[in-house]
Amino acid sequence: HGNAVPVRLCYNARIMNALLGLPVDILAVIVLVAALMAYNYTLGKHRATTLLVALYVAGALYMFMPVTDFAHEVIPLNAPLLPLVMFGVLFAVTYFVLARNAFFEPYLIPCGWELGMFSALHAALIIAILVSIEPSSATAAFSPNFSRFFLDPIVRSVIVAVPVVVLGFFRGRA
């Protein structure tokens, strides 16, 4: 019974791959980009910069918090899921604090195609952070295209740096 869940997930992944012709990890990237575009173009237009800064702050907090070393002893979650949950909680708290503060609102509000670009940058940054905090045993099953793009340290460094560069070029409109 201990292997029932991974076998079921593997079976579901094969079904998804057969139906759509895409690996599950690539499909997850597409869904994440679409969800972020829907959010940024509707509710989150004024929060795009806040979302980006919250991602960076939550990623930094996760990397430097000593609780991540012994959290698996306190929180009863399996090893690949625990870092994702911890990052998600840190991100939610950070985003809530920054959004309530409204510190970034008068400075950068992207419009039009900039929102689409920010959505893609948000998705790439989220995936780069999540892949970097996952154990290597969890990332070994990713598809070759996903691995080339998100597991290569140089490409991942570029993915993490590009949103900051983009913030320097775009001022948006208030």
Side-chain angles (χ1 to χ4, degrees), residues 82-93:
L82 182 62
L84 301 176
V85 170
M86 290 178 59
F87 174 75
V89 168
L90 284 171
F91 170 69
V93 169

Side-chain angles (χ1 to χ4, degrees), residues 21-22 29 59 63 85 88 92 95 97 112 114-116 129-130 143 148 164:
L22 293 173
V29 171
M63 294 299 180
V85 170
Y95 181 74
V97 169
E114 294 172 359
L115 281 170
I129 291 171
L130 294 179
S143 68
R148 264 186 243 115
V164 173

Side-chain angles (χ1 to χ4, degrees), residues 16 19 54 76 80 89 91 109 141 146 149 156 167:
M16 295 287 284
L19 290 176
V89 168
F91 170 69
I109 300 173
F146 185 91
F149 195 71
R156 194 168 43 203
L167 279 177

Side-chain angles (χ1 to χ4, degrees), residues 82-129:
L82 182 62
L84 301 176
V85 170
M86 290 178 59
F87 174 75
V89 168
L90 284 171
F91 170 69
V93 169
T94 305
Y95 181 74
F96 177 74
V97 169
L98 291 176
R100 297 231 347 129
N101 182 317
F103 179 74
F104 299 103
E105 278 188 35
Y107 300 111
L108 178 65
I109 300 173
C111 300
W113 64 271
E114 294 172 359
L115 281 170
M117 185 180 57
F118 270 95
S119 299
L121 292 174
H122 289 149
L125 183 60
I126 289 169
I127 293 167
I129 291 171

Side-chain angles (χ1 to χ4, degrees), residues 11-156:
Y11 179 72
N12 290 341
R14 282 188 295 206
I15 290 174
M16 295 287 284
N17 192 5
L19 290 176
L20 301 172
L22 293 173
V24 174
D25 48 11
I26 301 296
L27 187 62
V29 171
I30 293 169
V31 168
L32 184 61
V33 169
L36 284 167
M37 280 192 179
Y39 174 76
N40 281 340
Y41 276 105
T42 56
L43 303 173
K45 175 182 176 183
H46 297 282
R47 302 275 191 236
T49 306
T50 305
L51 180 68
L52 190 62
V53 172
L55 284 169
Y56 279 114
V57 171
L61 285 173
Y62 180 86
M63 294 299 180
F64 295 114
M65 289 181 65
V67 71
T68 58
D69 296 334
F70 61 86
H72 65 279
E73 297 171 6
V74 179
I75 303 171
L77 287 175
N78 59 356
L81 189 60
L82 182 62
L84 301 176
V85 170
M86 290 178 59
F87 174 75
V89 168
L90 284 171
F91 170 69
V93 169
T94 305
Y95 181 74
F96 177 74
V97 169
L98 291 176
R100 297 231 347 129
N101 182 317
F103 179 74
F104 299 103
E105 278 188 35
Y107 300 111
L108 178 65
I109 300 173
C111 300
W113 64 271
E114 294 172 359
L115 281 170
M117 185 180 57
F118 270 95
S119 299
L121 292 174
H122 289 149
L125 183 60
I126 289 169
I127 293 167
I129 291 171
L130 294 179
V131 165
S132 68
I133 63 177
E134 278 294 303
S136 59
S137 62
T139 60
F142 289 147
S143 68
N145 289 332
F146 185 91
S147 297
R148 264 186 243 115
F149 195 71
F150 289 107
L151 294 180
D152 181 77
I154 294 171
V155 175
R156 194 168 43 203

